[in-house]
Amino acid sequence: AAAADASRIIPVQLDVTRDEDIQRALAQVAAHSSDGLYALINNAGFNLNGAFEYTDAADAGALMDTNFVGLAALSRAALPLLRRYAQRHPGATSKLINIGSIGSYIGIPWEAYYHASKFAVLGLSEAMRYELWPQGIRVVAVCPGAIVTDFMPKTEASLPASDAAP
């Protein structure tokens, strides 16, 4: 196989909860490649620690908006570019990769909303897989366990909220 051409990789940082960011990012990608989009990796997300009962509804909504609703919005908006790639490269497929978590399969105490969001990502990915397969778009959810990143220190910073009690 030929080596990947790193000049064709376009990392894009955006806020998936802001439609204008999504549109700007996809316009940037479209301007870079008339062939469409080979792969989209949805990696936005954060954790929220706290007892289900005491988790602030606004905080829970923000988590779901980022981890699930934003992922779905970006995926939906990217479909024309993903489809274009598959159509212009006979026999090839484009890839839509959603980053889930081991939390897509198990729920643990103090992270109810995080796990709910990751279960939702897994379910959405499975449904999209069946819908988009005939269009040459392959959908997969990658669900890793613990990985050394700054995710856990950020999660630990939210722990004081888990101490709330009446």
Side-chain angles (χ1 to χ4, degrees):
D5 180 359
S7 70
R8 295 181 51 94
I9 297 173
I10 306 169
V12 179
Q13 186 174 2
L14 68 137
D15 182 341
V16 296
T17 66
R18 297 172 44 105
D19 188 56
E20 57 273 15
D21 278 13
I22 291 172
Q23 297 309 317
R24 176 191 47 75
L26 293 176
Q28 179 184 349
V29 170
H32 188 74
S33 173
S34 61
D35 275 354
L37 180 60
Y38 169 71
L40 169 64
I41 302 172
N42 279 311
N43 192 37
F46 69 94
N47 198 353
L48 177 64
N49 284 104
F52 166 77
E53 183 178 6
Y54 304 114
T55 300
D56 180 76
D59 291 342
L63 179 135
M64 293 301 289
D65 284 346
T66 297
N67 293 10
F68 176 68
V69 176
L71 175 145
L74 179 57
S75 297
R76 186 180 312 107
L79 286 178
L81 290 172
L82 290 163
R83 193 175 295 116
R84 182 185 310 157
Y85 182 88
Q87 291 169 345
R88 292 193 178 171
H89 296 85
T93 58
S94 56
K95 314 308 189 252
L96 200 163
I97 303 163
N98 294 324
I99 305 300
S101 164
I102 188 68
S104 299
Y105 297 101
I106 59 170
I108 62 171
W110 316 114
E111 294 184 353
Y113 288 98
Y114 174 77
H115 291 276
S117 74
K118 293 304 183 175
F119 270 72
V121 166
L122 188 60
L124 179 67
S125 298
E126 185 171 343
M128 289 191 319
R129 180 177 309 119
Y130 294 117
E131 290 180 23
L132 299 174
W133 184 275
Q135 299 173 41
I137 302 170
R138 300 301 179 254
V139 179
V140 63
V142 177
C143 300
I147 297 174
V148 178
T149 67
D150 65 350
F151 185 83
M152 288 313 294
K154 287 180 181 178
T155 295
E156 290 166 3
S158 72
L159 281 173
S162 67
D163 293 335

